[in-house]
Amino acid sequence: MLDTRVAQEIADRISEAVGHNVLLTDAQGWVIGSGDPERVGTFHEASVPVIRRREVAWHDAKAARPLTGVQPGITLPLVIGKAAVGSVGITGDPAVVRPFGEIVRRQTEILIRETSLLRLGLLRERALEQLLQDIASFDGDPRDAAAIGLRAEELGFRLDLPRAPVVL
């Protein structure tokens, strides 16, 4: 749902804004973006139960020590719709970073949704361009007509309705 380029940009911007390292994981707990680039591609063990349970977890230095790839801080699930798509972690003293947690999570979820909507819009635009190209190059083959009609319906258009051009 979230590619590494976008995840890295989100992590960089939020890390800069809050003054603490922020990392993003995918749904399996692999770091896909971090204010600390060395952590990208590593496993963040604390994210797995956070994603599975959709519950926030705090780890002080003692609790973080035995966990793979975990530093003291807070880890929150990223939920889009009904799906947990990953997690966001903020490194630092849990008492200090806790107030940032919900803000960072909500902002990250908004950014993920906006990125997804933008991608969907671009995909729809490309599909519409391709449909127009197919209509413009239509050669009368009934099989092509059926395929073009089906694709148009999928995009919300009915080609079987009578139309007339109007020039103003």
Side-chain angles (χ1 to χ4, degrees), residues 82-96:
K82 294 183 179 183
V85 298
S87 70
V88 60
I90 309 172
T91 302
D93 178 359
V96 173

PDB file of all heavy atoms in Angstrom, residues 82-96:
ATOM      1  N   LYS A  82     -10.257  -0.664   7.033  1.00  0.00           N
ATOM      2  CA  LYS A  82     -10.309  -1.688   8.071  1.00  0.00           C
ATOM      3  C   LYS A  82      -9.016  -2.505   8.147  1.00  0.00           C
ATOM      4  O   LYS A  82      -8.922  -3.431   8.932  1.00  0.00           O
ATOM      5  CB  LYS A  82     -11.491  -2.621   7.817  1.00  0.00           C
ATOM      6  CG  LYS A  82     -12.819  -1.923   7.953  1.00  0.00           C
ATOM      7  CD  LYS A  82     -13.968  -2.873   7.766  1.00  0.00           C
ATOM      8  CE  LYS A  82     -15.284  -2.124   7.941  1.00  0.00           C
ATOM      9  NZ  LYS A  82     -16.433  -2.981   7.848  1.00  0.00           N
ATOM     10  N   ALA A  83      -8.045  -2.142   7.334  1.00  0.00           N
ATOM     11  CA  ALA A  83      -6.812  -2.920   7.256  1.00  0.00           C
ATOM     12  C   ALA A  83      -5.655  -2.228   7.970  1.00  0.00           C
ATOM     13  O   ALA A  83      -5.428  -1.031   7.779  1.00  0.00           O
ATOM     14  CB  ALA A  83      -6.444  -3.162   5.803  1.00  0.00           C
ATOM     15  N   ALA A  84      -4.933  -2.990   8.775  1.00  0.00           N
ATOM     16  CA  ALA A  84      -3.687  -2.502   9.365  1.00  0.00           C
ATOM     17  C   ALA A  84      -2.610  -2.699   8.302  1.00  0.00           C
ATOM     18  O   ALA A  84      -2.319  -3.826   7.907  1.00  0.00           O
ATOM     19  CB  ALA A  84      -3.352  -3.267  10.634  1.00  0.00           C
ATOM     20  N   VAL A  85      -2.054  -1.603   7.806  1.00  0.00           N
ATOM     21  CA  VAL A  85      -1.128  -1.667   6.678  1.00  0.00           C
ATOM     22  C   VAL A  85       0.332  -1.536   7.094  1.00  0.00           C
ATOM     23  O   VAL A  85       1.222  -1.651   6.267  1.00  0.00           O
ATOM     24  CB  VAL A  85      -1.460  -0.587   5.629  1.00  0.00           C
ATOM     25  CG1 VAL A  85      -2.854  -0.798   5.058  1.00  0.00           C
ATOM     26  CG2 VAL A  85      -1.322   0.811   6.210  1.00  0.00           C
ATOM     27  N   GLY A  86       0.577  -1.297   8.376  1.00  0.00           N
ATOM     28  CA  GLY A  86       1.938  -1.133   8.855  1.00  0.00           C
ATOM     29  C   GLY A  86       1.929  -0.463  10.205  1.00  0.00           C
ATOM     30  O   GLY A  86       0.921  -0.483  10.919  1.00  0.00           O
ATOM     31  N   SER A  87       3.074   0.127  10.536  1.00  0.00           N
ATOM     32  CA  SER A  87       3.163   0.829  11.816  1.00  0.00           C
ATOM     33  C   SER A  87       4.060   2.039  11.664  1.00  0.00           C
ATOM     34  O   SER A  87       4.821   2.158  10.711  1.00  0.00           O
ATOM     35  CB  SER A  87       3.715  -0.103  12.908  1.00  0.00           C
ATOM     36  OG  SER A  87       5.085  -0.365  12.679  1.00  0.00           O
ATOM     37  N   VAL A  88       3.929   2.927  12.638  1.00  0.00           N
ATOM     38  CA  VAL A  88       4.808   4.084  12.728  1.00  0.00           C
ATOM     39  C   VAL A  88       5.424   4.058  14.120  1.00  0.00           C
ATOM     40  O   VAL A  88       4.733   3.802  15.107  1.00  0.00           O
ATOM     41  CB  VAL A  88       4.052   5.407  12.450  1.00  0.00           C
ATOM     42  CG1 VAL A  88       2.934   5.641  13.431  1.00  0.00           C
ATOM     43  CG2 VAL A  88       5.000   6.597  12.455  1.00  0.00           C
ATOM     44  N   GLY A  89       6.718   4.255  14.170  1.00  0.00           N
ATOM     45  CA  GLY A  89       7.417   4.278  15.452  1.00  0.00           C
ATOM     46  C   GLY A  89       8.131   5.601  15.634  1.00  0.00           C
ATOM     47  O   GLY A  89       8.614   6.198  14.667  1.00  0.00           O
ATOM     48  N   ILE A  90       8.178   6.063  16.878  1.00  0.00           N
ATOM     49  CA  ILE A  90       8.898   7.291  17.209  1.00  0.00           C
ATOM     50  C   ILE A  90       9.915   6.924  18.276  1.00  0.00           C
ATOM     51  O   ILE A  90       9.553   6.416  19.341  1.00  0.00           O
ATOM     52  CB  ILE A  90       7.960   8.390  17.737  1.00  0.00           C
ATOM     53  CG1 ILE A  90       6.780   8.607  16.796  1.00  0.00           C
ATOM     54  CG2 ILE A  90       8.743   9.690  17.942  1.00  0.00           C
ATOM     55  CD1 ILE A  90       5.714   9.527  17.353  1.00  0.00           C
ATOM     56  N   THR A  91      11.175   7.167  17.981  1.00  0.00           N
ATOM     57  CA  THR A  91      12.253   6.823  18.887  1.00  0.00           C
ATOM     58  C   THR A  91      12.453   7.924  19.924  1.00  0.00           C
ATOM     59  O   THR A  91      12.419   9.102  19.594  1.00  0.00           O
ATOM     60  CB  THR A  91      13.564   6.621  18.095  1.00  0.00           C
ATOM     61  OG1 THR A  91      13.343   5.603  17.130  1.00  0.00           O
ATOM     62  CG2 THR A  91      14.709   6.225  19.000  1.00  0.00           C
ATOM     63  N   GLY A  92      12.643   7.504  21.173  1.00  0.00           N
ATOM     64  CA  GLY A  92      12.911   8.452  22.254  1.00  0.00           C
ATOM     65  C   GLY A  92      12.318   7.957  23.548  1.00  0.00           C
ATOM     66  O   GLY A  92      11.713   6.891  23.608  1.00  0.00           O
ATOM     67  N   ASP A  93      12.502   8.726  24.589  1.00  0.00           N
ATOM     68  CA  ASP A  93      11.928   8.395  25.891  1.00  0.00           C
ATOM     69  C   ASP A  93      10.412   8.339  25.732  1.00  0.00           C
ATOM     70  O   ASP A  93       9.791   9.310  25.302  1.00  0.00           O
ATOM     71  CB  ASP A  93      12.314   9.473  26.898  1.00  0.00           C
ATOM     72  CG  ASP A  93      11.735   9.250  28.278  1.00  0.00           C
ATOM     73  OD1 ASP A  93      10.998   8.262  28.480  1.00  0.00           O
ATOM     74  OD2 ASP A  93      12.020  10.081  29.164  1.00  0.00           O
ATOM     75  N   PRO A  94       9.777   7.189  26.045  1.00  0.00           N
ATOM     76  CA  PRO A  94       8.330   7.062  25.859  1.00  0.00           C
ATOM     77  C   PRO A  94       7.529   8.197  26.499  1.00  0.00           C
ATOM     78  O   PRO A  94       6.532   8.643  25.932  1.00  0.00           O
ATOM     79  CB  PRO A  94       8.001   5.711  26.499  1.00  0.00           C
ATOM     80  CG  PRO A  94       9.264   4.925  26.371  1.00  0.00           C
ATOM     81  CD  PRO A  94      10.371   5.943  26.533  1.00  0.00           C
ATOM     82  N   ALA A  95       7.973   8.687  27.639  1.00  0.00           N
ATOM     83  CA  ALA A  95       7.243   9.782  28.294  1.00  0.00           C
ATOM     84  C   ALA A  95       7.320  11.070  27.473  1.00  0.00           C
ATOM     85  O   ALA A  95       6.392  11.871  27.484  1.00  0.00           O
ATOM     86  CB  ALA A  95       7.814  10.020  29.689  1.00  0.00           C
ATOM     87  N   VAL A  96       8.403  11.241  26.726  1.00  0.00           N
ATOM     88  CA  VAL A  96       8.589  12.442  25.917  1.00  0.00           C
ATOM     89  C   VAL A  96       7.878  12.315  24.567  1.00  0.00           C
ATOM     90  O   VAL A  96       7.250  13.268  24.101  1.00  0.00           O
ATOM     91  CB  VAL A  96      10.096  12.733  25.705  1.00  0.00           C
ATOM     92  CG1 VAL A  96      10.316  13.875  24.744  1.00  0.00           C
ATOM     93  CG2 VAL A  96      10.764  13.010  27.051  1.00  0.00           C
TER      94      VAL A  96
END
